[in-house]
């Protein structure tokens, strides 16, 4: 038979670690709002007042937990309200059926006294004379579960509920300032936080000390009256987070509290426990990333700020913004990868439209911020301060298009593109590489890796060839290019063949079923996938479908994007093929002596670069279309840079030039074609431009055709 862990409550109050949770006996369950209950918890030696979270409250509603049960609390927190302790049950399970003490009061409704009932005791007379005492002795019964009393919600319990982080604890901003009272039974008020074998007190409990600085005589008198009626008023400042229970492994419970130099004697809270109703907190977190410092003008004053992403030992992330003096003081201090203690910040609800991490709250730090570096963090502690990955299925990526909140993605690598260079607006270049992923949803998506990830991780993928490794990437952005596309960020972490249940399940699916299963692109069929960028995607189609009749053309209409499979049938070698461009912006330049003038910005350049503007005839079994290939697409089509091919075309080695053109003809490609209409000399024309191209994967194309036949 399960028994309570004797002495565990004292260990919790002393903030000692309780590995594997604690066993307690629960009693005096009383309903206080929708899914929350107050109760009394005992360990066989002492008792303490308790509150349940909404999750545990639902177990009480369902009859899983009842009075005198032995429960194992795997996730809990202990707060101190003035001189009393309150243990909040965040997660627990019943491990045994306890027995009620012989002198325990019955929770069943009281019956009317018989005619030969004994005379009233002095206590009963007191209840009869005092209506408030009668209310305490006979609290209202819950309409949902017999034997459970309904109590009005108190200010203290609302603050404790807010610390639980539950959705139904959200209150109006000014709710905390309104006067609220908690009605507590006299015997429960005396039993809470006292030894189980202590003699019962006859007098009402003394009023608790208030943390309010200024008390008027009228307020003192009122508090004394409330104390005599067993009603306690608890100011918001009196709630002090005391300790956190140790969760069972694998259940996500918080770890035991730890203290550091910045905590100034207060325990360290996990980020998951932060809420707008509690300001007295200290967190220990690693700086996962730090944004650039920026400034703007407000009311004639310059305001500086920067943001950091913090992650604690439980893997919970939160975004913090430092303003004004705090930004100037700590920008050079908060280096990425270091661990700090943070306190004196304001927790606010996060704006989902601009939130960069997955958290309902964000922290704002002003000049009162207190930051101290944690110099005693060992390697094991640092290894735990990694963000928990929450993988999203590829078929659900469309719902995350153009949202700032990042996503984590995992899949089987079916194709690794070549390393290429992308020119930025500041004329600098960055390495990029595309990989194609597929998962159990049988949907594929193209993921673009940048910088070192494209060079190092992308190089490893390219070397592994056709082994189809598992790839996981954290902190990705979902865009609408080609219907649905994924782009890694600077802070993204790329892992090849990672460990974990998700990777194991994915590998098993691929080896048994996925390797031969037909797949479909995640953006296929999304007609409005490009709404945010001014166009629409038409999915996979034939060349005849992308051409419109003259009467269907609308001048200056929004561009449309099409996925087509086509063969480059002919490239006219006598065409201009390229143009002379500005190295900064790619605009056309004209020669002036030994210099080159960009008419767009009016600057002279000592050199220019050539960029492709190649027109070719593409065909499939439905027809043919003249399509333009610009610079990057021309590089892939011809396999040579425009500056290099110009040496053959303009020089004497014209045979080499002809061979390059001939080699590019009759090659098969998967194209993303942009079509738009424009008016020229009073005539409306339709123009086709290649946005991206990949060599045709005949296996994937065969699967697509088979799937069309099945449908």
């Amino acid at each position: 038979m399960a028994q309570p862990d004797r002495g565990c409550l004292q260990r919790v109050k002393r903030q000692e670690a309780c590995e594997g949770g604690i066993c307690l006996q629960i009693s005096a369950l009383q309903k206080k709002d929708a899914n929350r209950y107050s109760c009394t918890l005992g360990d066989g030696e002492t008792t303490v007042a308790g509150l349940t979270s909404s999750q545990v409250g639902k177990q009480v509603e369902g009859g899983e937990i009842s009075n005198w049960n032995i429960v194992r609390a795997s996730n809990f927190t202990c707060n101190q309200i003035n001189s009393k302790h309150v243990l909040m049950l965040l997660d627990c399970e019943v491990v045994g059926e306890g027995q009620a003490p012989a002198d325990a009061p019955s929770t069943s409704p009281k019956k009317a006294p018989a005619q030969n009932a004994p005379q009233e005791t002095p206590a009963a007379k007191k209840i009869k004379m005092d209506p408030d005492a009668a209310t305490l002795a006979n609290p209202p019964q819950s309409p949902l579960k017999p034997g459970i009393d309904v109590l009005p919600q108190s200010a203290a319990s609302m603050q404790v509920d807010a610390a639980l982080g539950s959705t139904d604890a959200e209150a109006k901003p000014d709710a905390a300032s309104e006067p609220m009272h908690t009605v507590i039974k006299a015997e429960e008020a005396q039993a809470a936080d006292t030894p189980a074998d202590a003699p019962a007190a006859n007098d009402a409990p003394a009023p608790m000390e208030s943390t309010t600085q200024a008390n008027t005589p009228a307020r003192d008198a009122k508090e004394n009256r409330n104390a005599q009626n067993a009603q306690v008023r608890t100011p918001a400042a009196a709630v002090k987070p005391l300790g956190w229970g140790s969760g069972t492994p694998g259940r996500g419970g918080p770890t035991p509290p730890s203290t550091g130099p910045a905590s100034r004697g207060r325990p360290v809270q996990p980020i998951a426990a932060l809420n707008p109703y509690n300001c007295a907190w200290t967190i220990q977190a690693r700086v996962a990333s730090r944004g650039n410092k920026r400034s703007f003008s407000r009311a004639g004053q310059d305001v500086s700020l920067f943001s950091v992403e913090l992650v604690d030992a439980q893997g919970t992330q939160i975004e913090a913004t430092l303003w004004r003096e705090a930004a100037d003081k700590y920008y050079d201090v908060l280096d990425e990868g270091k661990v700090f203690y943070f306190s004196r910040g304001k927790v606010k609800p996060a704006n989902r439209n601009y939130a960069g991490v997955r958290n309902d709250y964000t922290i704002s730090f002003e000049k009162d911020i207190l930051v101290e570096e944690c110099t005693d963090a060992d390697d094991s502690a640092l290894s735990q301060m990694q963000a928990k990955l929450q993988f999203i299925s590829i078929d659900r990526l469309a719902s995350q298009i153009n949202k700032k909140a990042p996503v984590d993605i995992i899949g089987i690598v079916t194709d690794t593109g070549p390393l290429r260079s992308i020119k930025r607006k500041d004329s600098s270049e960055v390495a990029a590489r595309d990989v194609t992923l597929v998962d159990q949803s049988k949907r594929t998506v193209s993921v673009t890796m940048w910088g070192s990830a494209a060079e190092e991780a992308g190089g490893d993928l390219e070397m592994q060839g056709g082994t189809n490794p598992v790839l996981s990437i954290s902190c990705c952005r979902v865009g609408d290019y080609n219907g649905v596309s994924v782009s890694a960020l600077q802070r993204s972490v790329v892992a090849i063949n990672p460990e974990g249940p998700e990777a194991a399940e994915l590998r098993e699916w691929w080896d048994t079923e996925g390797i031969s299963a037909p797949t479909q692109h995640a953006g296929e069929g999304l007609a409005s996938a490009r709404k945010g960028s001014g166009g629409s995607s038409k999915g996979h189609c034939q060349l005849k479908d992308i051409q419109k009749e003259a009467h269907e053309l609308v001048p200056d209409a929004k561009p449309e994007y099409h996925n087509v499979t086509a063969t480059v049938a002919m490239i006219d070698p006598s065409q201009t093929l390229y143009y002379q461009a500005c190295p900064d912006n790619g605009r056309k330049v004209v020669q002036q002596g030994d210099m080159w003038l960009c008419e767009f910005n009016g600057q002279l350049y000592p050199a220019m670069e050539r960029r492709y503007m190649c027109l070719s005839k593409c065909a499939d079994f439905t027809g043919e279309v003249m399509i333009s290939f610009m610079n990057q697409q021309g590089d892939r089509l011809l396999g040579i840079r425009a500056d290099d091919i110009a040496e053959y075309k303009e020089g004497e080695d014209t045979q080499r030039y002809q061979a390059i053109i001939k080699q590019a003809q009759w090659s098969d490609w998967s194209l993303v074609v942009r079509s738009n209409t424009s008016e020229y000399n009073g005539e409306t024309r339709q123009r086709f431009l290649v946005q991206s191209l990949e060599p045709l994967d005949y296996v994937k194309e065969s699967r697509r055709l088979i799937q069309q036949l099945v449908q």
Side-chain angles (χ1 to χ4, degrees):
M1 180 176 177
Q3 296 292 333
D5 295 337
R6 300 184 67 88
C8 64
L9 289 178
Q10 292 297 332
R11 296 197 303 270
V12 170
K13 295 176 184 179
R14 292 194 299 266
Q15 308 177 24
E16 297 180 3
C18 300
E19 298 295 338
I22 56 177
C23 287
L24 301 170
Q25 187 172 39
I26 189 169
S27 61
L29 283 166
Q30 296 176 341
K31 189 176 181 67
K32 51 190 290 299
D33 57 22
N35 289 317
R36 299 177 187 275
Y37 291 81
S38 62
C39 60
T40 300
L41 300 170
D43 63 356
E45 294 182 356
T46 60
T47 60
V48 67
L51 291 173
T52 71
S53 64
S54 297
Q55 177 181 353
V56 178
K58 292 178 181 178
Q59 295 178 265
V60 179
E61 290 287 350
E64 301 176 26
I65 300 177
S66 58
N67 282 323
W68 311 114
N69 281 161
I70 306 298
V71 298
R72 178 177 297 277
S74 58
N75 195 353
F76 57 88
T77 178
C78 187
N79 288 341
Q80 184 176 3
I81 303 177
N82 285 346
S83 59
K84 298 293 181 181
H85 295 93
V86 177
L87 186 68
M88 292 181 289
L89 294 178
L90 304 180
D91 189 13
C92 68
E93 59 180 349
V94 177
V95 296
E97 297 290 339
Q99 295 181 355
D103 57 347
S106 174
T107 57
S108 59
K110 296 184 178 181
K111 298 181 180 180
Q115 294 181 357
N116 56 352
Q119 295 184 355
E120 295 180 344
T121 62
K125 292 182 179 180
K126 182 177 180 180
I127 293 176
K128 212 171 188 180
M129 298 175 59
D130 191 349
D132 292 336
T135 303
L136 296 176
N138 298 283
Q141 299 293 316
S142 169
L144 301 178
K145 188 173 181 65
I148 297 180
D149 301 328
V150 181
L151 295 184
Q153 192 173 13
S154 67
S157 62
M158 288 189 65
Q159 298 167 43
V160 172
D161 293 341
L164 296 176
S166 177
T167 54
D168 51 9
E170 296 176 358
K172 296 181 181 179
D174 56 348
S177 61
E178 298 178 1
M180 291 169 286
H181 297 78
T182 302
V183 180
I184 305 177
K185 289 183 179 180
E187 60 268 25
E188 292 178 0
Q190 295 179 6
D193 206 20
T194 58
D197 54 353
N202 296 326
D203 298 332
M208 297 181 181
E209 295 182 4
S210 174
T211 57
T212 307
Q213 296 296 329
N215 289 328
T216 60
R219 177 178 298 180
D220 294 337
K222 185 176 181 179
E223 290 182 353
N224 290 333
R225 290 197 305 271
N226 291 340
Q228 293 174 0
N229 292 331
Q231 297 179 352
V232 181
R233 167 175 294 182
T234 307
V239 178
K240 301 177 182 179
L242 180 63
W244 292 87
S246 175
T248 303
R251 303 195 59 159
T255 57
S258 58
T259 58
S263 62
R264 298 186 183 277
R266 298 191 305 271
V268 173
Q269 287 186 250
I271 292 178
L274 297 181
N275 62 84
Y277 305 96
N278 181 18
C279 298
W281 51 261
T282 299
I283 60 173
Q284 181 189 29
R286 183 178 64 88
V287 180
S289 67
R290 182 188 64 185
N292 295 327
K293 185 179 177 182
R294 57 192 187 276
S295 61
F296 63 93
S297 179
R298 175 183 293 177
Q301 296 182 351
D302 291 336
V303 179
S304 57
L305 72 153
F306 73 94
S307 298
V308 292
E309 292 181 12
L310 307 177
V311 59
D312 63 3
Q314 287 73 42
T316 308
Q317 290 179 287
I318 194 168
E319 187 175 32
T321 303
L322 285 76
W323 297 83
R324 301 177 180 85
E325 296 92 338
D328 298 334
K329 181 178 180 181
Y330 290 106
Y331 181 74
D332 296 328
V333 176
L334 300 181
D335 296 331
E336 294 184 3
K338 292 185 177 181
V339 180
F340 297 88
Y341 294 96
F342 297 87
S343 60
R344 298 182 184 177
K346 183 177 181 181
V347 180
K348 303 185 298 183
N351 188 336
R352 282 300 187 184
N353 296 327
Y354 302 98
V357 299
R358 291 180 294 268
N359 199 309
D360 293 333
Y361 298 111
T362 182
I363 305 177
S364 179
F365 288 112
E366 298 283 352
K367 62 181 179 180
D368 295 333
I369 179 178
L370 181 60
V371 177
E372 290 187 21
E373 184 176 359
C374 177
T375 57
D376 56 350
D378 54 11
D379 294 338
S380 60
L382 292 177
S383 62
Q384 294 179 0
M385 292 185 177
Q386 302 291 337
K388 292 181 179 178
L389 299 183
Q390 301 177 9
F391 296 115
I392 183 173
S393 177
I394 293 179
D395 61 346
R396 294 174 51 207
L397 289 175
S399 62
Q400 304 295 321
I401 291 178
N402 295 330
K403 292 185 178 180
K404 186 179 180 182
V407 300
D408 304 327
I409 187 172
I410 186 171
I412 296 288
V413 179
T414 59
D415 180 64
T416 303
L419 185 67
R420 66 183 191 276
S421 180
I422 302 296
K423 181 171 288 189
R424 296 172 172 170
K425 294 182 179 180
D426 59 357
S427 300
S428 62
E429 294 186 354
V430 60
R433 189 191 297 267
D434 295 329
V435 295
T436 303
L437 300 181
V438 64
D439 65 2
Q440 294 95 324
S441 65
K442 300 179 183 179
R443 294 275 183 159
T444 63
V445 69
S446 177
V447 182
T448 303
M449 298 186 297
W450 304 90
S452 59
E455 297 173 351
E456 299 173 5
D460 294 341
L461 293 174
E462 194 172 22
M463 292 177 60
Q464 295 187 24
T467 59
N468 300 112
V470 178
L471 182 71
S472 69
I473 307 178
S474 64
C475 294
C476 300
R477 291 279 169 81
V478 182
D480 58 3
Y481 180 74
N482 197 16
V484 176
S485 62
V486 177
S487 178
L489 304 178
Q490 183 178 4
R491 63 178 184 270
S492 298
V493 178
V494 180
I496 301 175
N497 291 325
E499 298 180 354
E502 297 88 355
E505 293 174 4
L506 194 59
R507 170 55 62 188
E508 182 180 0
W509 168 81
W510 177 258
D511 294 338
T512 57
E513 175 188 356
I515 192 171
S516 58
T519 59
Q520 186 180 10
H521 191 272
E524 189 167 342
L526 298 179
S528 60
R530 281 195 164 267
K531 183 177 180 181
S533 58
S536 62
S537 174
K538 297 300 182 182
H540 198 281
C541 54
Q542 284 77 42
L543 290 180
K544 72 171 184 178
D545 299 328
I546 70 176
Q547 301 179 78
K548 297 181 179 180
E549 300 293 337
H551 66 276
E552 298 177 336
L553 299 179
V554 179
D556 301 326
K558 290 183 178 181
E560 297 178 351
Y561 297 83
H562 315 269
N563 298 321
V564 299
T565 301
T567 300
V568 177
M570 192 268 292
I571 302 174
D572 185 5
S574 63
Q575 64 178 302
T576 305
L577 199 67
Y578 47 79
Y579 68 96
Q580 297 164 340
C582 172
D584 287 345
N585 51 42
R587 304 277 182 152
K588 187 175 292 186
V589 296
V590 294
Q591 189 172 11
Q592 289 188 356
D594 296 335
M595 304 293 286
W596 299 87
L597 173 65
C598 176
E599 296 180 348
F600 176 75
N601 56 21
Q603 296 184 9
L604 290 172
Y605 294 88
M608 57 81 185
E609 67 176 8
R610 294 175 179 84
R611 297 175 66 88
Y612 280 114
M613 189 173 57
C614 172
L615 187 65
S616 64
K617 181 184 292 185
C618 298
D620 65 3
F621 69 96
T622 64
E624 56 187 29
V625 178
M626 299 299 296
I627 303 179
S628 297
F629 292 75
M630 300 308 289
N631 190 51
Q632 295 179 6
Q633 292 74 29
D635 286 344
R636 298 205 66 182
L637 175 64
L638 299 175
I640 187 174
R641 296 176 64 250
D643 286 331
D644 297 333
I645 200 173
E647 297 180 1
Y648 302 129
K649 182 181 180 182
E650 299 173 5
E652 299 179 356
D653 195 356
T654 57
Q655 292 184 354
R656 175 60 177 163
Y657 169 71
Q658 294 287 345
I660 294 174
I661 297 297
K662 185 176 181 179
Q663 184 179 3
Q665 296 178 155
W666 301 108
S667 55
D668 300 328
W669 299 86
S670 295
L671 307 175
V672 178
V673 180
R674 170 182 173 179
S675 64
N676 62 341
T677 57
S678 60
E679 190 171 353
Y680 180 75
N681 290 336
E683 181 182 358
T684 303
R685 298 179 178 180
Q686 187 177 17
R687 185 186 178 191
F688 302 97
L689 181 68
V690 174
Q691 291 292 111
S692 67
L693 73 163
E694 295 290 341
L696 183 62
D697 187 334
Y698 295 99
V699 176
K700 292 175 58 178
E701 182 66 12
S702 300
R703 291 175 179 171
R704 186 186 67 81
L705 295 175
I706 292 173
Q707 189 174 8
Q708 285 187 346
L709 292 175
V710 173
Q711 294 176 350

